[in-house]
Amino acid sequence: RTNLPLWMHRDAYAVHEAVVAAGEYPDTRADIRIVEDGQVVDFGTFRIEFIEVDHDSPGVTGFIIHGPEHRIAFTADWRRHGRNHHRLDRFIERCRSTGIDVLITEGTRLRQDTLFRKPKDRLEVEVALECRRAMQETDGLVYVNILARNVERVADLIIRTQEAGRKLVMDESTAVLWHTASRKLQVLEGHPALEACRDVIRLLRTPLWSQGPQPAKEAELPYETIELQDIGADKSHYAVYLTYPHTPLIAELEISGSVHSGSVYVHADGNPLTPTDETLLRWLNEFGVRYHY
């Protein structure tokens, strides 16, 4: 609805703008109002206190509703294995001190396979390190599939790719999302990836038959362009950020150019959000690409 008030954390809004610019979704017609962590908005009969929590996309915010008689807390999406898990501790302490009557929480892990066993947490700070390890242990290509809106993870990936002596190849939509969000995110202030990306990222103009999302408008990006044949000619020097719609590019890249040890596909919460996607696994098996989830 036009002009519907919508309160959003500053970093969440930066990611929203980037997702729109990348062509993943159309923009909203709502009246977006920026809130800061800890801010309280008065609605007359009740107040909402916004509290940032830790999730894979920056700016995810829970809240406490302070009503005339009761207090209701909502965690939003949260995790304890992320880089900012202290935010959840702060949220818990705020709920304790406020005296919450009702707690609403997300239930991602309330699945049949996790009801009777505790899943092993993979620490967020280790994800990009595993990507670097894959880049160092093969002379073939390394494909990386992560959600581009997880901008902090992308930033870490840029640095680890640089450390591995490779260039990170992105399609235009992914590059626009990173470029648009990274310039405005508070959480990335001072991150070395903001400077390194100009040297590390290479922009790939994907062929028409392998089109995913397209940027909403033409954008000027500060990255050198590269062609498929250039990647294939020296696979040990590149990592390809391969989103799900561009999976068929594996055929072009694996059958051409230099042939060294086998390529590796590192899948870290990019679509499809499962390690059992039949289509993806068939592509990888067909071309002998090792899968690492």
Side-chain angles (χ1 to χ4, degrees):
R1 198 178 88 194
T2 303
N3 297 326
L4 180 72
L6 174 62
W7 280 263
M8 189 179 293
H9 185 280
R10 184 179 304 278
D11 277 356
Y13 182 55
V15 174
H16 165 76
E17 287 186 302
V19 167
V20 171
E24 288 193 19
Y25 295 101
D27 203 353
T28 179
R29 293 182 294 169
D31 174 20
I32 295 180
R33 304 178 183 185
I34 301 300
V35 294
E36 304 290 347
D37 179 34
Q39 183 174 340
V40 178
V41 178
D42 193 337
F43 292 89
T45 57
F46 63 93
R47 295 174 297 118
I48 295 184
E49 177 182 356
F50 294 92
I51 305 171
E52 187 178 7
V53 295
D54 189 39
H55 195 51
D56 55 9
S57 185
V60 173
T61 305
F63 54 79
I64 297 175
I65 301 174
H66 299 266
E69 297 183 18
H70 303 288
R71 286 151 299 281
I72 302 172
F74 172 57
T75 63
D77 287 348
W78 59 271
R79 58 185 184 169
R80 296 201 68 95
H81 59 279
R83 66 187 78 234
N84 298 302
H85 53 82
H86 61 277
R87 292 176 184 160
L88 183 61
D89 297 329
R90 183 184 58 183
F91 185 93
I92 293 169
E93 184 53 44
R94 184 63 184 137
C95 288
R96 284 174 175 163
S97 62
T98 302
I100 295 301
D101 299 298
V102 177
L103 175 67
I104 304 172
T105 184
E106 61 113 354
T108 302
R109 296 194 177 196
L110 296 181
R111 303 188 300 266
Q112 185 174 358
D113 63 336
T114 62
L115 288 177
F116 301 105
R117 65 178 181 86
K118 183 178 179 180
K120 179 183 177 182
D121 278 334
R122 308 290 295 275
L123 297 180
E124 171 62 40
V125 293
E126 295 178 355
V127 175
L129 291 173
E130 290 198 35
C131 292
R132 184 186 67 185
R133 189 175 302 116
M135 296 177 195
Q136 294 172 328
E137 292 178 351
T138 180
D139 290 328
L141 276 174
V142 174
Y143 302 98
V144 181
N145 183 1
I146 66 179
L147 285 177
R149 66 196 64 179
N150 189 340
V151 189
E152 290 177 275
R153 184 178 289 181
V154 176
D156 286 352
L157 175 65
I158 289 169
I159 296 302
R160 302 310 176 197
T161 303
Q162 183 182 55
E163 292 171 352
R166 296 188 182 230
K167 304 298 182 184
L168 182 62
V169 181
M170 288 184 175
D171 64 274
E172 188 174 11
S173 174
T174 302
V176 166
L177 200 160
W178 158 257
H179 183 64
T180 303
S182 62
R183 293 178 299 167
K184 297 183 178 181
L185 281 167
Q186 290 179 322
V187 74
L188 284 185
E189 288 181 0
H191 198 292
L194 299 178
E195 293 297 327
C197 64
R198 290 176 173 80
D199 296 323
V200 174
I201 294 176
R202 294 295 181 266
L203 184 63
L204 177 66
R205 308 289 185 182
T206 53
L208 291 175
W209 52 262
S210 181
Q211 294 289 1
Q214 294 297 299
K217 59 182 180 180
E218 188 172 346
E220 288 192 19
L221 298 170
Y223 314 124
E224 295 180 19
T225 58
I226 192 170
E227 304 296 331
L228 284 172
Q229 58 266 30
D230 297 325
I231 303 170
D234 196 357
K235 297 178 181 179
S236 64
H237 279 77
Y238 297 100
V240 179
Y241 195 121
L242 196 69
T243 60
Y244 191 57
H246 296 306
T247 301
L249 288 177
I250 291 175
E252 294 288 323
L253 292 166
E254 289 301 312
I255 65 175
S256 63
S258 58
V259 179
H260 298 289
S261 59
S263 298
V264 181
Y265 186 101
V266 182
H267 188 186
D269 276 354
N271 290 317
L273 301 177
T274 170
T276 58
D277 183 77
E278 185 177 0
T279 301
L280 174 61
L281 295 180
R282 282 189 174 186
W283 274 100
L284 300 180
N285 289 335
E286 179 69 23
F287 294 97
V289 178
R290 182 163 59 88
Y291 180 66
H292 181 60
Y293 183 70

